[in-house]
Amino acid sequence: MDYVYLLYIMKSLIVAFRLPKGTGTNTLNKFVRGLYGQNSTSWSGRYEFHRKGIMEEIPFRKFIRGVIIIRDCDLEKVLSYLAEYKAEYCVGSIKKVSWSDDTIGVR
């Protein structure tokens, strides 16, 4: 099923987040890897493997670094992960207006 379609028909939330200032590079990398997942190799490329992230189980759209759109039912899972790293975040509701797509020519 297409994730864009799921986000379109369900109530969506926008989540903006960032880690506290002074967070080390290793912690930042671990945070991003745990959130989005990562393809990795070892032994000079002999072995390839994938580390899963929590967002691989959730339909989402990423705008820019630290800004995602998710379904309202997935909010608790994302916020609990952000709390593990003491991330600062803001959550807002997205409401589709009947005239919005037609007016700006988006289909």
Side-chain angles (χ1 to χ4, degrees), residues 43-84:
W43 286 88
S44 301
R46 284 189 197 170
Y47 303 103
E48 295 180 6
F49 56 96
H50 181 76
R51 291 187 172 113
K52 289 194 110 185
I54 66 163
M55 297 307 289
E56 291 183 74
E57 303 167 2
I58 299 173
F60 77 100
R61 290 309 243 179
K62 181 178 175 183
F63 276 138
I64 57 173
R65 180 179 24 177
V67 180
I68 55 175
I69 295 178
I70 60 173
R71 300 177 302 181
D72 61 340
C73 60
D74 297 321
L75 181 63
E76 286 302 317
K77 189 171 190 173
V78 173
L79 293 185
S80 66
Y81 183 78
L82 295 176
E84 288 178 30

CSV table of all heavy atoms in Angstrom, one decimal, residues 43-84:
chain,number,residue,atom,x,y,z
A,43,TRP,N,34.2,-5.7,7.0
A,43,TRP,CA,35.3,-6.4,6.4
A,43,TRP,C,35.4,-5.9,4.9
A,43,TRP,O,35.4,-6.7,4.0
A,43,TRP,CB,35.0,-7.9,6.4
A,43,TRP,CG,35.3,-8.5,7.8
A,43,TRP,CD1,34.4,-8.6,8.8
A,43,TRP,CD2,36.5,-8.9,8.3
A,43,TRP,NE1,34.9,-9.1,9.9
A,43,TRP,CE2,36.2,-9.3,9.6
A,43,TRP,CE3,37.8,-9.1,7.8
A,43,TRP,CZ2,37.2,-9.9,10.4
A,43,TRP,CZ3,38.7,-9.6,8.6
A,43,TRP,CH2,38.5,-10.0,9.9
A,44,SER,N,35.6,-4.6,4.8
A,44,SER,CA,35.9,-4.0,3.5
A,44,SER,C,34.8,-4.3,2.4
A,44,SER,O,35.1,-4.6,1.3
A,44,SER,CB,37.3,-4.4,3.0
A,44,SER,OG,38.2,-4.0,3.9
A,45,GLY,N,33.6,-4.4,2.8
A,45,GLY,CA,32.5,-4.6,1.9
A,45,GLY,C,32.1,-6.1,1.7
A,45,GLY,O,31.3,-6.4,0.9
A,46,ARG,N,32.8,-7.0,2.4
A,46,ARG,CA,32.5,-8.4,2.2
A,46,ARG,C,31.1,-8.8,2.7
A,46,ARG,O,30.4,-9.6,2.1
A,46,ARG,CB,33.5,-9.3,3.0
A,46,ARG,CG,34.8,-9.4,2.3
A,46,ARG,CD,35.6,-10.4,3.1
A,46,ARG,NE,37.0,-10.3,2.7
A,46,ARG,CZ,38.0,-10.9,3.4
A,46,ARG,NH1,37.7,-11.7,4.3
A,46,ARG,NH2,39.2,-10.7,3.0
A,47,TYR,N,30.7,-8.2,3.8
A,47,TYR,CA,29.4,-8.4,4.4
A,47,TYR,C,28.5,-7.2,4.3
A,47,TYR,O,29.0,-6.1,4.7
A,47,TYR,CB,29.5,-8.9,5.8
A,47,TYR,CG,30.4,-10.1,6.0
A,47,TYR,CD1,31.7,-10.0,6.4
A,47,TYR,CD2,29.9,-11.4,5.6
A,47,TYR,CE1,32.5,-11.1,6.5
A,47,TYR,CE2,30.7,-12.5,5.8
A,47,TYR,CZ,32.0,-12.4,6.2
A,47,TYR,OH,32.8,-13.5,6.3
A,48,GLU,N,27.3,-7.3,3.9
A,48,GLU,CA,26.4,-6.2,3.8
A,48,GLU,C,25.2,-6.6,4.7
A,48,GLU,O,24.7,-7.7,4.7
A,48,GLU,CB,25.9,-6.0,2.4
A,48,GLU,CG,27.0,-5.5,1.5
A,48,GLU,CD,26.5,-5.3,0.1
A,48,GLU,OE1,25.2,-5.4,-0.1
A,48,GLU,OE2,27.3,-5.0,-0.8
A,49,PHE,N,24.7,-5.6,5.5
A,49,PHE,CA,23.6,-5.9,6.3
A,49,PHE,C,22.8,-4.6,6.5
A,49,PHE,O,23.3,-3.5,6.2
A,49,PHE,CB,24.0,-6.5,7.7
A,49,PHE,CG,25.0,-5.6,8.4
A,49,PHE,CD1,24.6,-4.8,9.4
A,49,PHE,CD2,26.3,-5.8,8.2
A,49,PHE,CE1,25.5,-4.0,10.1
A,49,PHE,CE2,27.3,-5.0,8.9
A,49,PHE,CZ,26.8,-4.1,9.9
A,50,HIS,N,21.6,-4.7,7.0
A,50,HIS,CA,20.7,-3.5,7.2
A,50,HIS,C,20.3,-3.4,8.7
A,50,HIS,O,19.8,-4.4,9.2
A,50,HIS,CB,19.5,-3.6,6.3
A,50,HIS,CG,18.6,-2.5,6.4
A,50,HIS,ND1,18.9,-1.3,5.9
A,50,HIS,CD2,17.4,-2.3,7.1
A,50,HIS,CE1,17.9,-0.4,6.2
A,50,HIS,NE2,17.0,-1.0,6.9
A,51,ARG,N,20.5,-2.3,9.2
A,51,ARG,CA,20.0,-2.0,10.6
A,51,ARG,C,18.7,-1.4,10.5
A,51,ARG,O,18.5,-0.3,9.8
A,51,ARG,CB,21.0,-1.1,11.3
A,51,ARG,CG,22.3,-1.7,11.7
A,51,ARG,CD,23.1,-0.8,12.6
A,51,ARG,NE,24.3,-1.5,13.0
A,51,ARG,CZ,25.5,-1.2,12.7
A,51,ARG,NH1,25.7,-0.2,11.8
A,51,ARG,NH2,26.5,-1.8,13.1
A,52,LYS,N,17.7,-1.9,11.1
A,52,LYS,CA,16.3,-1.4,11.0
A,52,LYS,C,16.1,-0.2,11.9
A,52,LYS,O,16.7,-0.1,13.0
A,52,LYS,CB,15.3,-2.5,11.4
A,52,LYS,CG,15.1,-3.6,10.3
A,52,LYS,CD,13.9,-4.4,10.6
A,52,LYS,CE,13.0,-4.0,9.4
A,52,LYS,NZ,11.7,-4.5,9.5
A,53,GLY,N,15.3,0.7,11.4
A,53,GLY,CA,15.0,1.9,12.2
A,53,GLY,C,13.5,1.9,12.5
A,53,GLY,O,12.7,1.2,11.8
A,54,ILE,N,13.0,2.6,13.5
A,54,ILE,CA,11.6,2.6,13.8
A,54,ILE,C,10.7,3.2,12.7
A,54,ILE,O,9.6,2.8,12.6
A,54,ILE,CB,11.3,3.3,15.2
A,54,ILE,CG1,11.6,4.8,15.1
A,54,ILE,CG2,12.1,2.6,16.3
A,54,ILE,CD1,10.9,5.5,16.2
A,55,MET,N,11.2,4.1,11.9
A,55,MET,CA,10.4,4.7,10.9
A,55,MET,C,10.2,3.7,9.7
A,55,MET,O,9.3,4.0,8.9
A,55,MET,CB,11.1,6.0,10.4
A,55,MET,CG,11.2,7.1,11.4
A,55,MET,SD,9.7,7.4,12.3
A,55,MET,CE,8.8,8.3,11.0
A,56,GLU,N,10.9,2.6,9.7
A,56,GLU,CA,10.6,1.7,8.6
A,56,GLU,C,9.3,0.9,8.8
A,56,GLU,O,8.8,0.3,7.9
A,56,GLU,CB,11.8,0.7,8.5
A,56,GLU,CG,13.1,1.3,8.0
A,56,GLU,CD,14.2,0.3,7.9
A,56,GLU,OE1,14.1,-0.5,6.9
A,56,GLU,OE2,15.1,0.3,8.7
A,57,GLU,N,8.8,1.0,10.0
A,57,GLU,CA,7.5,0.3,10.3
A,57,GLU,C,6.4,1.3,10.3
A,57,GLU,O,5.2,0.9,10.5
A,57,GLU,CB,7.6,-0.3,11.7
A,57,GLU,CG,8.8,-1.3,11.9
A,57,GLU,CD,9.0,-1.6,13.4
A,57,GLU,OE1,8.3,-1.1,14.2
A,57,GLU,OE2,10.0,-2.4,13.6
A,58,ILE,N,6.7,2.6,10.1
A,58,ILE,CA,5.6,3.6,10.1
A,58,ILE,C,5.6,4.3,8.8
A,58,ILE,O,6.6,4.8,8.3
A,58,ILE,CB,6.0,4.6,11.3
A,58,ILE,CG1,6.1,4.0,12.6
A,58,ILE,CG2,5.1,5.8,11.3
A,58,ILE,CD1,6.6,4.9,13.7
A,59,PRO,N,4.4,4.5,8.2
A,59,PRO,CA,4.3,5.4,7.0
A,59,PRO,C,4.6,6.8,7.4
A,59,PRO,O,4.0,7.3,8.4
A,59,PRO,CB,2.9,5.2,6.6
A,59,PRO,CG,2.2,4.3,7.5
A,59,PRO,CD,3.1,4.0,8.6
A,60,PHE,N,5.5,7.5,6.7
A,60,PHE,CA,5.9,8.8,7.0
A,60,PHE,C,6.4,9.6,5.8
A,60,PHE,O,6.7,8.9,4.8
A,60,PHE,CB,6.9,8.9,8.1
A,60,PHE,CG,8.3,8.5,7.7
A,60,PHE,CD1,9.2,9.5,7.4
A,60,PHE,CD2,8.7,7.2,7.5
A,60,PHE,CE1,10.5,9.2,7.0
A,60,PHE,CE2,10.0,6.9,7.0
A,60,PHE,CZ,10.9,7.9,6.8
A,61,ARG,N,6.5,10.8,5.9
A,61,ARG,CA,7.1,11.7,4.9
A,61,ARG,C,8.1,12.6,5.6
A,61,ARG,O,7.8,13.2,6.6
A,61,ARG,CB,6.1,12.6,4.1
A,61,ARG,CG,5.1,11.9,3.2
A,61,ARG,CD,5.9,11.0,2.3
A,61,ARG,NE,5.7,11.3,0.9
A,61,ARG,CZ,6.3,10.7,0.0
A,61,ARG,NH1,7.1,9.7,0.3
A,61,ARG,NH2,6.2,11.0,-1.3
A,62,LYS,N,9.3,12.7,5.0
A,62,LYS,CA,10.3,13.6,5.6
A,62,LYS,C,10.4,14.8,4.8
A,62,LYS,O,10.6,14.8,3.6
A,62,LYS,CB,11.6,12.8,5.6
A,62,LYS,CG,12.8,13.6,6.2
A,62,LYS,CD,14.0,12.7,6.2
A,62,LYS,CE,15.2,13.6,6.8
A,62,LYS,NZ,16.4,12.8,6.7
A,63,PHE,N,10.2,16.0,5.4
A,63,PHE,CA,10.4,17.3,4.7
A,63,PHE,C,11.8,17.7,4.6
A,63,PHE,O,12.4,17.7,3.6
A,63,PHE,CB,9.6,18.4,5.4
A,63,PHE,CG,8.2,18.5,5.1
A,63,PHE,CD1,7.2,18.7,6.1
A,63,PHE,CD2,7.7,18.3,3.8
A,63,PHE,CE1,5.9,18.7,5.8
A,63,PHE,CE2,6.4,18.4,3.5
A,63,PHE,CZ,5.5,18.6,4.5
A,64,ILE,N,12.4,17.9,5.8
A,64,ILE,CA,13.8,18.3,5.9
A,64,ILE,C,14.3,17.6,7.1
A,64,ILE,O,13.6,17.0,7.8
A,64,ILE,CB,14.0,19.8,6.0
A,64,ILE,CG1,13.2,20.4,7.1
A,64,ILE,CG2,13.6,20.5,4.7
A,64,ILE,CD1,13.5,21.9,7.4
A,65,ARG,N,15.6,17.8,7.4
A,65,ARG,CA,16.2,17.2,8.6
A,65,ARG,C,15.4,17.6,9.8
A,65,ARG,O,15.2,18.8,10.1
A,65,ARG,CB,17.6,17.6,8.7
A,65,ARG,CG,18.3,17.0,9.9
A,65,ARG,CD,19.7,17.4,10.0
A,65,ARG,NE,20.0,18.6,9.3
A,65,ARG,CZ,21.2,19.2,9.3
A,65,ARG,NH1,22.2,18.7,10.0
A,65,ARG,NH2,21.4,20.4,8.7
A,66,GLY,N,14.9,16.6,10.5
A,66,GLY,CA,14.2,16.9,11.8
A,66,GLY,C,12.7,17.3,11.7
A,66,GLY,O,12.1,17.7,12.6
A,67,VAL,N,12.1,17.1,10.5
A,67,VAL,CA,10.7,17.4,10.3
A,67,VAL,C,10.0,16.2,9.5
A,67,VAL,O,10.4,16.0,8.4
A,67,VAL,CB,10.4,18.7,9.5
A,67,VAL,CG1,9.0,19.0,9.4
A,67,VAL,CG2,11.1,19.9,10.3
A,68,ILE,N,9.1,15.6,10.2
A,68,ILE,CA,8.4,14.4,9.5
A,68,ILE,C,6.9,14.6,9.7
A,68,ILE,O,6.4,15.3,10.6
A,68,ILE,CB,8.8,13.1,10.1
A,68,ILE,CG1,8.6,13.1,11.6
A,68,ILE,CG2,10.3,12.8,9.8
A,68,ILE,CD1,8.9,11.7,12.3
A,69,ILE,N,6.1,13.9,8.8
A,69,ILE,CA,4.7,13.8,8.9
A,69,ILE,C,4.4,12.4,9.1
A,69,ILE,O,4.8,11.5,8.4
A,69,ILE,CB,4.0,14.3,7.6
A,69,ILE,CG1,4.3,15.8,7.4
A,69,ILE,CG2,2.5,14.1,7.7
A,69,ILE,CD1,3.7,16.4,6.1
A,70,ILE,N,3.5,12.1,10.2
A,70,ILE,CA,3.2,10.8,10.5
A,70,ILE,C,1.7,10.7,10.8
A,70,ILE,O,1.0,11.7,10.9
A,70,ILE,CB,3.9,10.3,11.8
A,70,ILE,CG1,3.6,11.2,13.0
A,70,ILE,CG2,5.4,10.2,11.5
A,70,ILE,CD1,4.2,10.7,14.3
A,71,ARG,N,1.1,9.5,10.9
A,71,ARG,CA,-0.3,9.3,11.3
A,71,ARG,C,-0.4,9.6,12.8
A,71,ARG,O,0.6,9.3,13.5
A,71,ARG,CB,-0.7,7.9,11.0
A,71,ARG,CG,-0.7,7.5,9.5
A,71,ARG,CD,-1.1,6.1,9.3
A,71,ARG,NE,-0.2,5.2,10.1
A,71,ARG,CZ,-0.3,3.9,10.1
A,71,ARG,NH1,-1.3,3.3,9.4
A,71,ARG,NH2,0.4,3.1,10.9
A,72,ASP,N,-1.5,10.0,13.2
A,72,ASP,CA,-1.7,10.3,14.7
A,72,ASP,C,-1.6,9.0,15.5
A,72,ASP,O,-1.1,9.1,16.6
A,72,ASP,CB,-3.0,11.0,14.9
A,72,ASP,CG,-4.3,10.1,14.5
A,72,ASP,OD1,-4.1,9.2,13.7
A,72,ASP,OD2,-5.3,10.4,15.0
A,73,CYS,N,-1.9,7.8,15.0
A,73,CYS,CA,-1.8,6.6,15.7
A,73,CYS,C,-0.3,6.2,16.0
A,73,CYS,O,-0.1,5.3,16.8
A,73,CYS,CB,-2.6,5.5,15.1
A,73,CYS,SG,-2.0,5.1,13.4
A,74,ASP,N,0.6,6.7,15.2
A,74,ASP,CA,2.0,6.4,15.4
A,74,ASP,C,2.8,7.4,16.3
A,74,ASP,O,4.0,7.2,16.5
A,74,ASP,CB,2.7,6.3,14.0
A,74,ASP,CG,2.1,5.2,13.2
A,74,ASP,OD1,1.8,4.1,13.7
A,74,ASP,OD2,2.0,5.5,12.0
A,75,LEU,N,2.1,8.4,16.8
A,75,LEU,CA,2.8,9.4,17.5
A,75,LEU,C,3.5,8.9,18.8
A,75,LEU,O,4.7,9.3,19.0
A,75,LEU,CB,1.8,10.5,17.9
A,75,LEU,CG,2.4,11.7,18.7
A,75,LEU,CD1,3.4,12.4,17.8
A,75,LEU,CD2,1.3,12.7,19.1
A,76,GLU,N,2.9,8.1,19.5
A,76,GLU,CA,3.5,7.6,20.8
A,76,GLU,C,4.8,6.8,20.6
A,76,GLU,O,5.7,7.0,21.3
A,76,GLU,CB,2.5,6.7,21.5
A,76,GLU,CG,1.3,7.4,22.2
A,76,GLU,CD,1.8,8.5,23.2
A,76,GLU,OE1,2.7,8.2,24.0
A,76,GLU,OE2,1.3,9.6,23.2
A,77,LYS,N,4.8,6.0,19.5
A,77,LYS,CA,6.0,5.3,19.2
A,77,LYS,C,7.2,6.3,18.9
A,77,LYS,O,8.3,6.1,19.3
A,77,LYS,CB,5.8,4.4,18.0
A,77,LYS,CG,6.9,3.4,17.7
A,77,LYS,CD,6.5,2.4,16.7
A,77,LYS,CE,7.6,1.3,16.7
A,77,LYS,NZ,7.2,0.2,15.8
A,78,VAL,N,6.9,7.3,18.1
A,78,VAL,CA,7.9,8.3,17.7
A,78,VAL,C,8.4,9.1,18.9
A,78,VAL,O,9.6,9.3,19.2
A,78,VAL,CB,7.4,9.2,16.6
A,78,VAL,CG1,8.4,10.3,16.3
A,78,VAL,CG2,7.2,8.4,15.3
A,79,LEU,N,7.4,9.5,19.7
A,79,LEU,CA,7.8,10.3,20.9
A,79,LEU,C,8.5,9.6,21.9
A,79,LEU,O,9.4,10.1,22.6
A,79,LEU,CB,6.5,10.9,21.5
A,79,LEU,CG,5.8,12.0,20.7
A,79,LEU,CD1,4.6,12.6,21.5
A,79,LEU,CD2,6.7,13.1,20.2
A,80,SER,N,8.3,8.3,22.1
A,80,SER,CA,9.0,7.5,23.1
A,80,SER,C,10.5,7.3,22.6
A,80,SER,O,11.4,7.3,23.4
A,80,SER,CB,8.4,6.1,23.3
A,80,SER,OG,8.4,5.3,22.1
A,81,TYR,N,10.7,7.2,21.3
A,81,TYR,CA,12.0,7.1,20.8
A,81,TYR,C,12.8,8.5,21.0
A,81,TYR,O,13.9,8.5,21.4
A,81,TYR,CB,12.0,6.7,19.3
A,81,TYR,CG,13.4,6.6,18.7
A,81,TYR,CD1,14.2,5.4,19.0
A,81,TYR,CD2,14.1,7.6,18.0
A,81,TYR,CE1,15.5,5.3,18.6
A,81,TYR,CE2,15.4,7.5,17.6
A,81,TYR,CZ,16.1,6.3,17.8
A,81,TYR,OH,17.3,6.2,17.4
A,82,LEU,N,12.1,9.6,20.7
A,82,LEU,CA,12.7,10.9,20.9
A,82,LEU,C,13.0,11.1,22.4
A,82,LEU,O,14.1,11.7,22.7
A,82,LEU,CB,11.8,12.0,20.4
A,82,LEU,CG,11.5,12.0,18.9
A,82,LEU,CD1,10.4,13.1,18.6
A,82,LEU,CD2,12.7,12.2,18.1
A,83,ALA,N,12.2,10.6,23.3
A,83,ALA,CA,12.5,10.8,24.7
A,83,ALA,C,13.7,10.0,25.1
A,83,ALA,O,14.4,10.5,26.1
A,83,ALA,CB,11.2,10.3,25.5
A,84,GLU,N,14.0,8.9,24.5
A,84,GLU,CA,15.2,8.1,24.8
A,84,GLU,C,16.5,9.0,24.7
A,84,GLU,O,17.4,8.8,25.4
A,84,GLU,CB,15.3,6.9,23.9
A,84,GLU,CG,14.4,5.8,24.2
A,84,GLU,CD,14.5,4.6,23.3
A,84,GLU,OE1,15.7,4.4,22.8
A,84,GLU,OE2,13.5,4.0,23.0
